[in-house]
Amino acid sequence: MKIPLMKIGALTCLTLGLFNGQAFAESGITNACSSFGEIQPNENPSHKQINCLLTNAAIEAEIPPEVVKAVATQENGDWRQFNEDGKPIISDDGGIGLMQLTNKSGYDQKKLENDMVYNIGAGVEVLSGMYSRRDLPKIKGAGRRVIENWYFPVMAYNGTKPVNSPLYQENGKMNVNAYQEEVFAEIENQSYLNDTKLAKYPFKTSDFQYDRDSTENIVFKNLEYTLTDPTHDSVYWFRAGDKVVTTSSANIRKDISTTAGAVTVPPNKSLIITGDFDYHESKGNKFVFYPVQTEDKSIKGYVSSAYISNRPSIVKDTNKPVISGTAGKAIPINSTFNPKTGVKAKDDKDGDLTNVIRVEGKVDTNKVGTYNLTYTVADKAGNVSKVTRKITVYDQVTPVISGAGNKTIKLNSSFNPKTNVSAKDNADGNLTSKIKVTGTVNTKKKGTYILKYTVTDSSKNVATVTRKITIDGTKPVISGANSKTVGYYSTFSPKSGVSAKDNLDGNMTSKIKVTGTVNTKKKGTYTLKYTFPAFLNKYDHFFVEEVYFKRLKKKQTHLKVKSAQNLFINCSNQL
């Protein structure tokens, strides 16, 4: 018997003196299968003969052969006692032969290795002994021929260790890797051809007491179960004259070895057993064939034991509806989404069940994320299908950066690269605070500087803007402040005809400040100074237009230009 992590002694129960290795009648099995030939030393019999040996050993011990053959498959998938060299198969953990038994007192080591019939008989005795244990649970009202009632004896055959607990203690989920679960899966597969599902126990974690990290056996707190699903009797005790029904559509073969000329009958078709079962030669067939006929005797032949039962009540609709159209889907943010669009449900008995699909969960199309929807539908027989679907709301729209246009600023002025710059995203809203600026601007040095503005939204969409900042050192230009001679006693306005213009600020005439005065009642030369007041901008260059006055003795107009921007005002008594 193979078990993860450790080897469990299969014959522990023999210490109780239940069998002592002699209860099994080897000759009975051998005689029952003698028609298939004499068993040769160190040779594996044909598959058909091994099927016969396992079946009859199980029947003699009143164990469902379905169970024994599934255990043999789990222990030794090829149903072999010897390898290609005629040597007994012994596993790394000490398992011997077809039934993978370990050597314990009461059994002959050599016979376990070299005698397949003895090996099968020993394995069947061990399994039967497990059924007799009083510390293992049973099904209320069920007997030895009920397949489901062997769940815990099969478990014990491998070991009642935590690794074989039916449930994971930490989360209550089924332990599908437990030894007995794998054996019962073999029964459904090889004895029922996946046409019939065995009843499930209503397990709770409180039913089992154990420490997952310990090698101590499980203590079973609940020793009796009532199953809500119908149980299944073994089909190997049918006799001629018994009435059975088909559990699904089945072929009535004219000959066991071929489907040629077979007649198909529907589910729940009544048949009468007309003789003993027989075996098929194919290694894939681990069931048997019964000779049958319809009640009106119109159809006669052989039917696989996988498709018949003595309990019509267990023939029911076990097929779940099929839900389609629930593949995962990605949709853009702010789009329209109907969770039932394109989703359908169909049942083999009830037909279209789309209108009764229930959907649990919601999708917020205004918010990026992954949402889970659960689709559930049930047919009239109570078979329920559930499908989980993932809907991803995505955002591929990049944020928008505003206010980061190219700009020219004055030399030595102040500059904050984030002033009036903002970022907005369709999903995240205002992302201004997330803007990152790379590059620098030196306002004390004329030139053009490149700044890179980057912002990333929560969906990793990146917006990038490149901005040019130009530092301009061009001075404002004062016009009309030329040197001038005015008449004695005339009217003179120092700002008349004088204007100022800046390449960035435009007309600045109103900001000109004039320092100095001109007395037209007194001849002489006066100096006027034209400036831009400091309150305009402390970093602005102001421009000085100086007017120098030189008093003249002669009555004449005298103009002397000291620089391009010097203005001389000469007052004479000549009009």
Side-chain angles (χ1 to χ4, degrees):
M1 284 149 285
K2 299 171 184 175
I3 184 170
L5 305 180
M6 65 197 77
K7 179 72 179 180
I8 305 302
L11 308 186
T12 304
C13 64
L14 297 182
T15 59
L16 302 177
L18 295 175
F19 303 102
N20 200 29
Q22 301 299 322
F24 173 66
E26 297 173 57
S27 59
I29 299 181
T30 304
N31 292 337
C33 303
S34 60
S35 61
F36 300 116
E38 185 176 349
I39 298 175
Q40 301 299 317
N42 301 102
E43 289 185 12
N44 294 310
S46 68
H47 173 82
K48 193 173 184 180
Q49 190 165 8
I50 297 174
N51 193 354
C52 178
L53 294 171
L54 290 167
T55 298
N56 281 275
I59 291 174
E60 185 174 310
E62 201 178 3
I63 302 175
E66 296 94 332
V67 173
V68 171
K69 286 190 274 190
V71 169
T73 300
Q74 185 67 15
E75 294 292 342
N76 188 318
D78 293 332
W79 281 8
R80 295 188 306 155
Q81 180 75 14
F82 306 101
N83 61 23
E84 292 76 4
D85 298 325
K87 300 288 182 63
I89 293 175
I90 301 177
S91 65
D92 294 338
D93 56 3
I96 301 173
L98 175 61
M99 301 302 288
Q100 286 290 285
L101 296 167
T102 46
N103 182 31
K104 295 293 181 180
S105 60
Y107 280 89
D108 187 314
Q109 168 78 17
K110 291 300 181 183
K111 291 190 72 174
L112 286 175
E113 293 180 3
N114 299 304
D115 188 334
M116 175 181 279
V117 177
Y118 185 83
N119 187 285
I120 291 173
V124 169
E125 282 191 347
V126 169
L127 184 58
S128 183
M130 298 304 174
Y131 186 91
S132 301
R133 284 174 52 173
R134 295 186 178 183
D135 63 329
L136 297 179
K138 294 288 191 304
I139 300 171
K140 185 177 181 179
R144 291 178 67 94
R145 297 184 183 183
V146 175
I147 292 173
E148 288 88 348
N149 212 20
W150 286 86
Y151 182 91
F152 286 100
V154 168
M155 174 186 182
Y157 186 84
N158 187 255
T160 57
K161 299 297 181 181
V163 70
N164 283 332
S165 172
L167 301 179
Y168 288 110
Q169 195 177 45
E170 57 272 18
N171 56 25
K173 292 184 179 180
M174 287 296 300
N175 178 13
V176 296
N177 296 315
Y179 178 85
Q180 69 280 2
E181 286 291 331
E182 293 182 340
V183 168
F184 270 62
E186 288 287 352
I187 295 174
E188 291 180 344
N189 177 45
Q190 67 187 28
S191 290
Y192 289 113
L193 299 178
N194 293 319
D195 179 71
T196 296
K197 295 297 181 183
L198 298 172
K200 298 294 184 182
Y201 282 73
F203 293 132
K204 303 187 298 295
T205 54
S206 58
D207 294 346
F208 314 102
Q209 180 179 314
Y210 61 88
D211 180 356
R212 172 69 66 180
D213 298 323
S214 173
T215 59
E216 296 296 321
N217 290 333
I218 297 172
V219 176
F220 299 95
K221 308 299 289 185
N222 182 12
L223 293 177
E224 187 175 74
Y225 287 91
T226 299
L227 275 56
T228 57
D229 294 331
T231 56
H232 298 78
D233 292 339
S234 173
V235 299
Y236 285 80
W237 275 276
F238 294 148
R239 295 292 179 264
D242 288 345
K243 290 185 177 182
V244 296
V245 294
T246 53
T247 57
S248 65
S249 296
N251 288 328
I252 308 298
R253 301 185 179 193
K254 290 184 178 181
D255 185 85
I256 291 176
S257 61
T258 180
T259 58
V263 178
T264 302
V265 296
N268 281 318
K269 181 68 174 179
S270 294
L271 300 174
I272 299 174
I273 303 294
T274 59
D276 295 334
F277 57 75
D278 203 347
Y279 307 91
H280 194 284
E281 303 210 3
S282 171
K283 286 186 176 182
N285 294 340
K286 294 173 182 176
F287 44 85
V288 294
F289 283 86
Y290 273 101
V292 294
Q293 65 182 22
T294 55
E295 291 185 297
D296 61 3
K297 300 182 181 179
S298 61
I299 302 174
K300 297 180 180 180
Y302 294 88
V303 66
S304 166
S305 61
Y307 301 126
I308 58 175
S309 171
N310 63 338
R311 291 200 228 168
S313 59
I314 70 169
V315 181
K316 64 176 186 178
D317 176 13
T318 59
N319 295 328
K320 296 180 180 180
V322 176
I323 301 174
S324 60
T326 56
K329 188 175 183 180
I331 59 176
I333 192 170
N334 298 324
S335 62
T336 301
F337 173 69
N338 185 335
K340 286 192 175 183
T341 299
V343 178
K344 297 180 180 180
K346 190 174 182 180
D347 185 66
D348 60 346
K349 298 291 190 301
D350 301 335
D352 189 359
L353 295 177
T354 302
N355 63 335
V356 295
I357 295 175
R358 290 188 294 108
V359 183
E360 296 177 72
K362 292 183 178 181
V363 175
D364 186 353
T365 58
N366 298 318
K367 187 176 181 180
V368 172
T370 299
Y371 302 86
N372 289 326
L373 298 177
T374 300
Y375 293 77
T376 305
V377 66
D379 63 15
K380 293 179 180 178
N383 300 304
V384 178
S385 288
K386 281 191 177 184
V387 175
T388 299
R389 184 186 194 189
K390 286 187 177 181
I391 302 297
T392 301
V393 178
Y394 66 89
D395 172 30
Q396 290 184 329
V397 179
T398 57
V400 175
I401 298 175
S402 303
N406 297 336
K407 187 174 183 180
T408 300
I409 61 176
K410 293 180 180 180
L411 187 70
N412 289 323
S413 63
S414 63
F415 174 69
N416 184 338
K418 288 191 175 181
T419 298
N420 296 325
V421 178
S422 63
K424 189 174 181 180
D425 185 64
N426 65 318
D428 300 336
N430 193 333
L431 291 178
T432 303
S433 63
K434 304 293 185 181
I435 296 175
K436 294 181 179 180
V437 183
T438 55
T440 58
V441 174
N442 184 357
T443 60
K444 295 181 180 181
K445 184 177 181 180
K446 291 190 291 183
T448 299
Y449 300 86
I450 305 297
L451 296 179
K452 184 178 180 182
Y453 292 75
T454 304
V455 67
T456 305
D457 65 17
S458 58
S459 296
K460 308 303 181 186
N461 298 308
V462 181
T464 301
V465 172
T466 299
R467 185 185 196 189
K468 291 183 179 180
I469 302 297
T470 301
I471 305 302
D472 178 54
T474 304
K475 298 178 181 180
V477 176
I478 297 176
S479 302
N482 302 315
S483 299
K484 186 176 184 181
T485 299
V486 299
Y488 189 54
Y489 273 89
S490 65
T491 300
F492 172 72
S493 174
K495 287 190 178 181
S496 178
V498 177
S499 64
K501 188 176 183 181
D502 185 68
N503 67 317
L504 296 181
D505 298 330
N507 192 334
M508 299 183 67
T509 302
S510 63
K511 304 299 183 182
I512 295 173
K513 182 179 180 181
V514 181
T515 305
T517 60
V518 174
N519 186 355
T520 61
K521 295 179 181 182
K522 186 177 181 181
K523 294 189 291 184
T525 300
Y526 298 85
T527 300
L528 299 178
K529 183 167 70 172
Y530 292 76
T531 62
F532 290 102
F535 65 80
L536 292 177
N537 189 314
K538 67 179 181 178
Y539 296 105
D540 286 346
H541 283 280
F542 58 78
F543 300 86
V544 179
E545 307 299 336
E546 294 184 343
V547 178
Y548 297 94
F549 178 81
K550 182 180 285 187
R551 189 176 184 129
L552 298 177
K553 293 180 179 181
K554 293 182 179 181
K555 295 180 180 179
Q556 62 179 2
T557 301
H558 180 78
L559 178 65
K560 184 177 182 181
V561 180
K562 299 180 68 176
S563 71
Q565 295 295 323
N566 285 343
L567 171 63
F568 295 91
I569 305 299
N570 184 24
C571 294
S572 75
N573 57 5
Q574 295 179 350
L575 297 178

